[in-house]
């Protein structure tokens, strides 16, 4: 995974709360292969009308927001389903950082696993950033080392879980790290079998319980 | 219980979590052992990651495949369905076969929705860590397990290592004391909690549900309650195991059998928060104040008792919340001040991992019996075993006689992936878990409520207080 240190890019306001994962990528697109890219499906029903024409009231369709890599939104961004496809849609569209006061837990975790920074800011700073962008600011600078966001004449702090920060700064992948603990895992499994013999599923010959 | 530190001041969550820690890092990250891993058709991204690494499933014996998200409900013949949807089911079959996984496929008498099948088969047990690439995995916490939804990268990680890196979340206790009024259910408790604390009110927290009203719930009710933990933003929800839990599990095929079961039950019943356990947050509810609840907006926090009116954004002081409500009413096409019972509906759906178990079907049938639905609707039992039992009890006949469609088990119209959709612009009274914009189909409008409330809406054609249609007292808490 590519390390994330600083990002100086076009920023787009999305002044809504509860932008859920069903909106980030509607379920009907999730049968597609990731190889084709999910960027075209990002916020599809918000960006396009029934005829597939871009909606003029969607900020992502504004000329000055084309190529946005930063999204600023209101509370509870990414709530809902665990579909990592919501993050794939953002990443494939080109977004590397979302800024909001709070996130769905599973979304935030999925984001970090794909190198996307879920930056947490206060409600007050969020409103100031949204206002700045809606007043015409078109870029923002996110510094993950310094934990600051600059946009027009604003400088606001943000937070991110320290473990996630380290992971993003280094572009680490969990699986390689976990494999370095394979002996500890095997030892745990062996001891656990003694401690909790009932954990192992029974293997029925027929499976017909009552509902 | 053996393997679980019984030191003082620990919550139920702490006890189960600590017993699964393989490695604890200085920064607080813990490598957690995972006891059960469920996969559905959406797991293809994770299997592709395995393929990229040429990796195998490390514990196929703890990994179970279940066909639910994309399965057709009106036929079991895959040659008759959309090839793109069929492809999703075939991918899971291929991956399960390749890695030697037990798969509950469409031909299996136990097939159904993962969060219905797990408990029903005895795969869900107290004290386990359980994961699935589905946010409603929180459901299984009803048994005192730590169960939570994960994304595809994490699914791949569990497949390859049977572990997951986690930081211990904060602990929150929701206590509901008192007796529920007749007709008030676990769904109403859950929606009342979400309306009070918000759709992100439990973000970063593991919830434990406690109190006499919770103890009084059946396993089905507890499953509904824990299922909706994610709609309050909670990482997971749990209820401490008790005799209700043990009685439910005895004789389930994948649960321990005979003496092994009795020994396990002793361990399970010892699992509870210590009297002096400290929670990061406590929320209290009075069960007697909870009425049947419906949602009127586009997040589950937009919920009110059926006796209320649609809120007026002009009366809301917080400008962000007022804007959100305005937006919701606009999408839902309802007016401020309108009585909730005046909202007409076009369709109903009874099903999903939230409310599709046998008690849910019984509750709906009790209202539908001898009546006709004014709108079309679909009833999809949570598993083929629920379906069989309901048919043995004659509930399918009541449902069909009322004019509703009785179909096979799957996620169906909750998420619409299989093509069971609410048409654009239509309004659906639904027993599901999410009233998000377009969740049940592009342009669809969803009102969430309990199965009996959906049945009542079907009969009258508008949102209705089911208590007006009750013929005799319904046992509380089901």
């Amino acid at each position: 995974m590519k390390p994330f240190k600083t990002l100086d890019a076009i920023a787009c306001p999305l002044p809504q709360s509860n932008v859920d994962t069903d909106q980030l990528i509607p379920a009907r697109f999730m049968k597609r292969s990731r190889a084709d890219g999910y960027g075209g499906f990002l916020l599809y029903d918000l960006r396009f009308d029934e005829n597939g024409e871009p909606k003029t009231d969607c900020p992502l369709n504004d000329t000055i927001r084309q190529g946005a890599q930063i999204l600023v939104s209101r509370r509870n961004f990414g709530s809902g389903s665990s579909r990592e496809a919501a993050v794939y849609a953002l990443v494939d569209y080109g977004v590397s950082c979302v800024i909001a006061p709070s996130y769905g837990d599973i979304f935030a975790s999925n984001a970090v696993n794909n190198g996307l920074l879920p930056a947490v800011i206060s409600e007050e700073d969020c409103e100031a950033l949204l206002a700045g962008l809606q007043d015409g600011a078109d870029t923002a600078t996110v510094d993950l080392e310094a934990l600051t966001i600059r946009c027009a004449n604003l400088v606001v702090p943000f937070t991110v879980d320290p473990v996630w920060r380290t992971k993003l700064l280094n572009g680490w992948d969990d699986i390689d790290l976990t494999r370095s603990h394979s002996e500890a895992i095997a030892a745990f499994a062996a001891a656990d079998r003694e401690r909790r013999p009932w954990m192992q599923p029974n293997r029925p010959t027929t499976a017909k319980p009552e509902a | 219980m053996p393997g679980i530190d019984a030191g003082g001041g620990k919550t139920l969550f702490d006890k189960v979590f600590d017993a699964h820690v393989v490695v604890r890092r200085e920064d607080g990250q813990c490598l957690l052992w995972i006891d059960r891993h469920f996969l559905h058709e959406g797991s293809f991204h994770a299997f592709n990651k395995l393929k990229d690494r040429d990796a195998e499933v490390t514990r196929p014996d703890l990994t179970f495949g279940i066909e639910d998200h994309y399965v057709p409900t009106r036929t079991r013949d895959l040659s008759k369905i959309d090839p793109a949807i069929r492809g999703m089911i075939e991918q899971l079959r291929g991956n399960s076969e390749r890695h030697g996984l037990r798969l509950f496929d469409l031909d299996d008498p136990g097939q159904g929705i993962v969060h219905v099948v797990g408990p029903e088969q005895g795969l869900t047990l107290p004290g386990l860590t359980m994961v699935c690439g589905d946010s409603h995995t929180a459901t299984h916490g009803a048994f005192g397990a730590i169960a939570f939804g994960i994304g595809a990268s994490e699914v791949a990680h569990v497949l390859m290592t049977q572990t997951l890196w986690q930081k211990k979340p904060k602990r929150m206790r929701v206590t509901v004391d008192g007796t529920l009024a007749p007709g008030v259910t676990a769904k109403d408790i859950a929606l009342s909690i979400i309306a009070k604390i918000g759709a992100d009110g439990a973000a970063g927290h593991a919830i434990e549900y406690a109190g006499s009203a919770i103890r009084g719930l059946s396993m089905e009710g507890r499953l509904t309650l824990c299922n909706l933990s994610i709609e309050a933003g909670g990482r997971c929800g749990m209820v401490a195991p008790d005799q209700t839990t043990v009685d439910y599990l005895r004789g389930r095929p994948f649960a321990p059998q005979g003496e092994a079961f009795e020994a396990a039950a002793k361990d399970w019943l010892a699992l509870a928060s210590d009297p002096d356990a400290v929670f990061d947050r406590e929320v209290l509810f009075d069960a007697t104040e909870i009425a049947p609840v419906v949602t009127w907006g586009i997040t589950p926090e937009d919920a009110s008792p059926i006796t209320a009116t649609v809120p007026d954004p002009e009366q809301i002081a917080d400008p962000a919340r007022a804007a959100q409500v305005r937006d919701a009413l606009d999408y839902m096409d309802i007016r401020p001040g309108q009585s909730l019972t005046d909202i007409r509906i076009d369709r109903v759906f009874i099903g999903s991992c939230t409310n599709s178990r046998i008690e849910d079907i019984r509750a709906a049938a009790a209202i539908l019996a001898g009546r006709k639905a004014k709108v079309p609707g679909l009833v999809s039992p949570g598993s083929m075993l629920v379906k069989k039992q309901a048919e043995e009890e004659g509930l399918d006949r009541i449902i069909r006689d009322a004019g509703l469609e009785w179909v096979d088990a799957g996620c169906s119209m909750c998420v619409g992936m299989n093509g069971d959709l609410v048409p654009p612009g239509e309004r659906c009274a639904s027993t599901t878990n999410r009233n998000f914009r377009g969740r049940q189909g592009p342009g669809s409008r969803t009102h969430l409520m309990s199965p009996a409330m959906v049945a009542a809406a079907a009969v009258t054609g508008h949102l209705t207080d089911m208590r007006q249609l009750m013929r005799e007292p319904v046992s509380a808490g089901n």
Side-chain angles (χ1 to χ4, degrees):
Chain A
M1 227 161 46
K2 211 175 97 202
F4 186 120
K5 296 200 190 304
T6 59
L7 176 66
D8 183 4
I10 295 171
C12 181
L14 204 60
Q16 289 180 26
S17 31
N18 300 307
V19 175
D20 57 69
T21 51
D22 275 79
Q23 288 182 72
L24 285 168
I25 183 165
R28 61 187 186 277
F29 299 118
M30 287 167 54
K31 298 186 285 294
R32 310 289 185 97
S33 162
R34 174 78 191 278
D36 303 337
Y38 277 21
F41 313 132
L42 176 70
L43 293 162
Y44 191 90
D45 294 331
L46 203 69
R47 285 163 62 202
F48 302 101
D49 66 16
E50 310 83 77
N51 304 316
E53 297 296 324
K55 292 185 186 175
T56 50
D57 62 352
C58 177
L60 277 164
N61 292 333
D62 286 354
T63 318
I64 61 160
R65 308 294 172 193
Q66 296 314 299
Q69 294 179 55
I70 299 167
L71 285 188
V72 183
S73 191
R74 292 203 170 108
R75 63 172 264 264
N76 208 21
F77 188 92
S79 53
S81 128
S82 61
R83 58 182 75 165
E84 197 159 302
V87 174
Y88 300 160
L90 285 162
V91 169
D92 291 356
Y93 184 87
V95 175
S96 303
C97 173
V98 179
I99 300 168
S102 65
Y103 295 90
D105 283 353
I106 308 175
F107 169 84
S109 170
N110 290 342
V112 173
N113 281 331
N114 288 277
L116 177 99
L117 168 64
V120 177
I121 55 171
S122 71
E123 297 262 0
E124 202 183 356
D125 287 341
C126 180
E127 293 307 317
L129 267 183
L130 284 170
L133 289 168
Q134 284 164 320
D135 285 347
D138 54 357
T139 62
T141 305
V142 179
D143 186 336
L144 182 56
E145 308 250 24
L147 295 171
T148 56
I149 298 161
R150 287 169 191 278
C151 179
N153 53 358
L154 288 169
V155 183
V156 301
F158 71 91
T159 59
V160 60
D161 181 287
V163 171
W164 285 353
R165 179 168 171 262
T166 309
K167 194 166 146 175
L168 286 163
L169 283 170
N170 294 286
W172 280 341
D173 183 319
D174 280 345
I175 288 174
D176 297 325
L177 177 68
T178 307
R179 284 196 165 146
S180 70
H181 293 291
S182 57
E183 278 180 26
I185 297 171
F188 178 95
D192 187 65
R193 219 174 167 122
E194 300 294 316
R195 279 195 303 259
R196 299 185 307 150
W198 46 262
M199 185 280 277
Q200 199 67 27
N202 179 48
R203 285 289 163 172
T205 43
T206 55
K208 287 183 183 172
E210 288 172 12
Chain B
M1 63 186 276
I4 290 190
D5 180 355
K10 279 183 152 187
T11 67
L12 166 63
F13 178 85
D14 287 306
K15 291 180 186 183
V16 179
F17 187 97
D18 293 350
H20 288 83
V21 173
V22 178
V23 176
R24 192 184 302 269
R25 267 184 4 209
E26 274 183 20
D27 61 9
Q29 279 291 89
C30 294
L31 187 62
L32 213 59
W33 174 260
I34 302 298
D35 293 321
R36 295 285 185 277
H37 188 190
F38 296 130
L39 302 162
H40 57 77
E41 301 93 316
S43 58
F44 72 97
H45 290 295
F47 278 110
N48 288 344
K49 287 176 198 283
L50 256 70
K51 206 191 233 170
D52 290 346
R53 286 176 179 256
D54 202 17
E56 295 300 320
V57 175
T58 182
R59 289 296 297 266
D61 57 326
L62 304 179
T63 311
F64 296 84
I66 296 173
E67 297 175 356
D68 62 1
H69 275 65
Y70 286 87
V71 300
T73 52
R74 291 184 175 97
T75 174
R76 299 266 107 165
D77 180 353
L78 290 188
S79 70
K80 291 184 179 157
I81 66 166
D82 175 350
I85 292 174
R86 181 169 66 233
M88 293 297 291
I89 297 167
E90 284 169 347
Q91 277 189 96
L92 177 63
R93 288 183 182 181
N95 285 322
S96 299
E97 195 176 350
R98 191 166 312 122
H99 294 280
L101 308 181
R102 168 75 163 87
L103 174 70
F104 292 86
D105 64 18
L106 285 179
D107 297 326
D108 193 300
Q111 182 269 340
I113 306 171
V114 52
H115 310 311
V116 176
V117 171
E120 198 171 76
Q121 295 289 339
L123 285 164
T124 305
L125 300 174
L128 299 185
T129 47
M130 308 178 62
V131 296
C132 173
D134 185 279
S135 59
H136 292 106
T137 306
T139 312
H140 306 266
F143 288 80
I146 293 179
F148 54 95
I150 56 177
S153 297
E154 292 171 320
V155 169
H157 189 278
V158 177
L159 287 173
M160 287 188 249
T161 69
Q162 203 57 33
T163 63
L164 206 53
W165 288 101
Q166 290 286 300
K167 194 170 179 177
K168 197 186 265 192
K170 291 180 184 165
R171 277 75 78 200
M172 173 174 182
R173 179 160 58 188
V174 177
T175 305
V176 189
D177 274 322
T179 306
L180 293 171
V184 178
T185 67
K187 182 69 162 281
D188 303 304
I189 300 179
L191 288 175
S192 301
I193 293 168
I194 300 163
K196 178 166 170 178
I197 70 173
D200 54 356
H205 288 75
I207 305 173
E208 180 177 343
Y209 298 98
S212 58
I214 307 301
R215 294 259 75 89
L217 290 174
S218 64
M219 283 320 297
E220 282 83 353
R222 295 177 191 183
L223 286 159
T224 299
L225 180 67
C226 289
N227 172 276
L228 291 163
S229 303
I230 183 71
E231 306 313 329
R235 194 81 181 103
C236 64
M238 301 173 89
V239 176
D242 59 10
Q243 200 56 44
T244 305
T245 321
V246 171
D247 291 345
Y248 178 97
L249 286 170
R250 189 176 282 112
R252 302 271 160 190
F254 287 85
Q257 305 290 318
E259 277 177 34
F261 181 85
E262 301 310 326
K266 217 173 277 177
D267 285 354
W268 297 337
L269 290 172
L271 270 176
S273 289
D274 294 324
D276 57 342
V278 177
F279 289 82
D280 298 282
R281 194 171 164 205
E282 296 255 19
V283 186
L284 301 177
F285 281 85
D286 179 349
T288 61
E289 288 177 4
I290 299 174
V293 176
V294 296
T295 64
W296 42 262
I298 52 174
T299 112
E301 71 188 16
D302 300 339
S304 303
I306 183 65
T307 48
T309 55
V310 174
D312 183 352
E314 303 303 322
Q315 310 284 320
I316 297 172
D318 173 10
R321 176 65 184 156
Q324 189 190 323
V325 170
R326 205 169 288 122
D327 195 28
L329 300 192
D330 182 49
Y331 182 80
M332 294 299 288
D333 194 25
I334 53 177
R335 298 184 317 276
Q338 189 178 3
S339 288
L340 288 171
T341 50
D342 285 344
I343 297 174
R344 306 205 71 80
I345 56 155
D346 301 301
R347 177 175 301 274
V348 300
F349 176 65
I350 296 172
S352 87
C353 59
T354 307
N355 278 126
S356 63
R357 298 176 183 85
I358 190 67
E359 287 188 5
D360 299 317
I361 309 295
R362 285 179 191 145
I367 297 290
L368 292 170
R371 295 188 169 116
K372 293 282 176 204
K374 286 198 173 148
V375 295
L378 199 63
V379 182
S380 174
S383 72
M384 294 310 275
L385 290 172
V386 171
K387 186 171 192 239
K388 187 165 167 273
Q389 174 141 4
E391 290 174 354
E392 281 165 10
E393 295 179 17
L395 306 179
D396 61 316
R397 213 179 48 241
I398 294 172
I399 289 162
R400 287 179 213 266
D401 286 351
L404 301 180
E405 211 180 334
W406 174 251
V407 298
D408 288 337
C411 297
S412 185
M413 203 179 274
C414 174
V415 67
M417 288 175 170
N418 72 338
D420 291 345
L421 293 168
V422 174
E426 276 201 11
R427 186 184 302 285
C428 182
S430 184
T431 65
T432 53
N433 40 59
R434 290 192 174 130
N435 50 345
F436 297 165
R437 262 177 237 263
R439 164 84 175 181
Q440 294 189 290
S444 61
R445 300 185 177 112
T446 304
H447 294 274
L448 304 175
M449 63 200 80
S450 74
M453 286 288 285
V454 169
V459 167
T460 62
H462 55 83
L463 301 188
T464 298
D465 189 337
M466 57 75 69
R467 292 174 295 189
Q468 292 166 0
L469 298 182
M470 277 165 65
R471 293 193 182 84
E472 48 196 13
V474 170
S475 68
N478 294 336

